[in-house]
Amino acid sequence: MTTPHPDAERLTLAALPAEQSDPEVAAHLLVCAQCRAEVDALHRTVELARVDGVGEPLPIPPTRVWQAILDELAGDQGVAVARPAVDGVAPRTDGAGAIRSRPEPPDAAPPVSPPPAPVPLRARRWSRRGLAGVAAAAVVGLGLGVGVGLGVDGSEDPKPTPVVQLGPVGFADPTATGTAAMVDHDGDQRMVVELRGVTNLAGGDYLEAWLMDSSGSRLLPLGALARHGEEFRGEFTIPAGLPTGEYDRVDVSAERFDGDPGHSTVSLLRGDLA
Amino acid sequence: MSDAGKLRPTSDSDAPAPLEERFTAGDPAALREAFDRHGSVVYAIALRCLGAHHDAEDVAQQVFVRAWRGRATFDSRRGPLGAWLVGITRRQVSERLAGQLRDLRTADRAGHAAPPPDPAPVSEQVVDAVVVADELGRLSPQVRAVVRLAFFDDLTHQQIAAVTGLPLGTVKSHLRRGLDRLRRGWAG
């Protein structure tokens, strides 16, 4: 770098629409990627501000939106909602509390559904029978650690060992987290998929687990996940004969009861098995 | 930038951290506060993407209902509450758009409608522009006035100084400070 960086104020001026070009800054930008990136980002900021021309304040959502939120939450277990005190106008955040949680006795149900007890495999109900015949499991070929702790806590159910953390896909549901784990169940290899923190599933939609290859072009539907509040769980038999080395990605998608057996393309979470 | 630190605004209207803590803890007042603080961003994104007030209101409602029900999963280490709400908004909007598209296609198959448009993804630019507009409204009045003169009236910093009577150095530092804050709104 032959020239010192211009100070921040001069770089700011370089990004503004009406300012005359400063030859020294312009020359520096030709040779300094760091400052150029800075000015580009500032310039982009100006453009974003000018998208609607005049910088008018953002619209305020009408009061009825807040009212509708209250109405919808009023049905939630463990949350009591007081109607706004005056005239349909909700109280502000002065402690009057538009929504009143019950006090917190130790035994009371928390506002959000409690962590699930072991759940029945209702998910199988929705699995695609047509594909159920594909036979059992190249599990080792999937690269899964089949860490099975049978009866760890004395129960009959095998305890799944989380092997794959599922991560959010884009902004589909930034709050969701999950795991996919293999369990051995009477000699069958099963995949247990569990999700938490799903907050962005439209009413009536459900979640479905898939195996896919890394390009997403080959898909194997595993089945739907059973819902328990914001937690979801499904346990699926891994078909035998599954081509080893492909189908090495677990995907969970939001699906609709629309009669379309294909993937909705709305993926919430994914994790790679290998 | 070696001097970026000293230019970082220290006061302005940074949301107090406790809101996020209280929200996660289930303090009902925090939901109202979050709605007051972030409702217009959520609503504006929905409105710009969907066009219809009715749809935008529905989306805004769903975003806050879902956020509240899922508040236990909000993790402030992964980003601020506003960004989390924007993420939920994007998803709600894209679902709504996908639903509209499905409806159009159904209608099309029935022979009643023009071919449906491609599904419009929730545009990064729309979201970023709303966030910047929101931050602009949160600048201190004097900084905001100076920034507006530069952005929307195409004045140079000398002209702004003349119009406002502010010293040239103050105008430049307001511009830097304001623009830096807006930039951090969308670029993190």
Side-chain angles (χ1 to χ4, degrees), chain B residues 88-116:
Chain B
I88 299 176
T89 306
R90 299 173 71 113
R91 159 101 165 131
Q92 288 292 310
V93 167
S94 68
E95 282 205 349
R96 185 71 56 135
L97 290 169
Q100 288 174 354
L101 185 67
R102 269 193 295 269
D103 293 346
L104 279 169
R105 285 194 171 138
T106 306
D108 187 38
R109 276 197 293 270
H112 296 307

Side-chain angles (χ1 to χ4, degrees), chain A residues 18-44:
Chain A
E19 300 290 340
Q20 287 201 327
S21 175
D22 177 337
E24 223 174 283
V25 172
H28 178 79
L29 291 180
L30 287 176
V31 297
C32 178
Q34 183 191 345
C35 288
R36 204 159 54 234
E38 168 83 357
V39 170
D40 284 348
L42 293 173
H43 184 66
R44 172 84 182 133

Side-chain angles (χ1 to χ4, degrees), chain B residues 55 84 120:
Chain B
D55 289 338
W84 186 64

